[in-house]
Amino acid sequence: MLYAEDLTDETFLPPINEIRDANDHIMRVFAVVFGFGDTGKETEHEYIKSNLNAALSHVYRATYEHLDYIKIYQHEAIQNNLANIYPETLATVFPEYYRDINPRLVDAINIIPDYRKRKNIADPNLEQVEAYMAIIETTKKDYNEIIRMLPSLNEYQAKKLRDNWKRRLIDFVSGIIVILLGTAIYSYIFS
């Protein structure tokens, strides 16, 4: 949750509501264990088990919601930071981006829907959650590497733009000189 809020400076409410609901189920268990609650028609053991399972389902759902939210904002943050960087600049200054980082980002975009499709609230798969979390952690490292490289990328690109501007100015001035010389020669020959 903290990483999600750091990433966007926003609070994503659906997972927080899921955690509240999970805590409600846990409090029901504590009420029965400490003799404050009534289980209704169920035995204490069944009541405790069903509430703990419900709490786990809420936490499982909250985890997926947060991971989805984080992945969306990680992708958006990467795109925003690289929006003004030319592909040539990336390839020259930061070849690891196209060789390693971008393929991982594309793979993650293709893998994550499979995790969502296989998510089963009734039968939580914690290995799948850990795999999803590993993608988030890898993307977090990749994002930090992109942020670390931004000054070099911007500096290279600014230099390249200055050099291009100088070259265009020289080409423009050379063109004007050629036109003037051509006009002068034409005037001299045909006058």
Side-chain angles (χ1 to χ4, degrees), residues 20-183:
R20 273 192 205 130
D21 291 343
N23 287 334
D24 181 54
H25 287 285
I26 291 170
M27 293 311 293
R28 291 177 192 184
V29 169
F30 281 123
V32 168
V33 168
F34 293 119
F36 299 121
D38 180 23
T39 62
K41 296 178 185 176
E42 296 177 285
T43 66
E44 279 187 15
H45 178 72
E46 289 170 348
Y47 184 80
I48 289 171
K49 184 178 177 183
S50 72
N51 274 286
L52 288 176
N53 284 336
L56 178 60
S57 293
H58 284 294
V59 170
Y60 188 67
R61 205 173 298 127
T63 301
Y64 264 93
E65 287 175 355
H66 255 121
L67 293 174
D68 290 343
Y69 176 73
I70 288 168
K71 189 64 191 153
I72 289 166
Y73 279 99
Q74 280 179 327
H75 184 73
E76 184 178 298
I78 288 169
Q79 296 306 312
N80 288 341
N81 279 292
L82 295 178
N84 296 320
I85 304 296
Y86 298 135
E88 179 209 341
T89 301
L90 275 170
T92 303
V93 178
F94 190 28
E96 299 86 6
Y97 177 77
Y98 285 120
R99 186 182 62 234
D100 302 324
I101 294 173
N102 195 46
R104 277 195 296 266
L105 295 173
V106 171
D107 287 346
I109 289 169
N110 293 327
I111 291 169
I112 289 171
D114 289 339
Y115 291 152
R116 297 278 313 153
K117 192 174 9 173
R118 288 184 272 142
K119 177 182 82 170
N120 182 355
I121 300 301
D123 185 23
N125 182 338
L126 298 182
E127 288 175 4
Q128 192 171 297
V129 171
E130 288 173 359
Y132 195 169
M133 289 174 74
I135 290 172
I136 296 296
E137 283 301 315
T138 300
T139 305
K140 183 179 179 180
K141 289 176 187 170
D142 290 342
Y143 174 73
N144 289 337
E145 184 64 16
I146 290 167
I147 296 302
R148 189 184 72 74
M149 290 299 295
L150 272 179
S152 298
L153 292 167
N154 286 321
E155 182 180 323
Y156 175 85
Q157 190 159 293
K159 182 183 181 309
K160 200 75 165 158
L161 288 172
R162 280 191 307 273
D163 291 348
N164 284 343
W165 180 82
K166 287 177 188 175
R167 189 173 354 103
R168 286 189 178 139
L169 181 61
I170 290 170
D171 291 346
F172 178 74
V173 170
S174 299
I176 296 291
I177 291 171
V178 167
I179 290 171
L180 291 174
L181 282 173
T183 303

Side-chain angles (χ1 to χ4, degrees), residues 1-16 66 69-70 72-73 76:
M1 265 194 255
L2 296 175
Y3 175 61
E5 289 178 12
D6 284 345
L7 195 59
T8 65
D9 293 329
E10 296 177 11
T11 300
F12 188 52
L13 293 178
I16 291 172
H66 255 121
Y69 176 73
I70 288 168
I72 289 166
Y73 279 99
E76 184 178 298

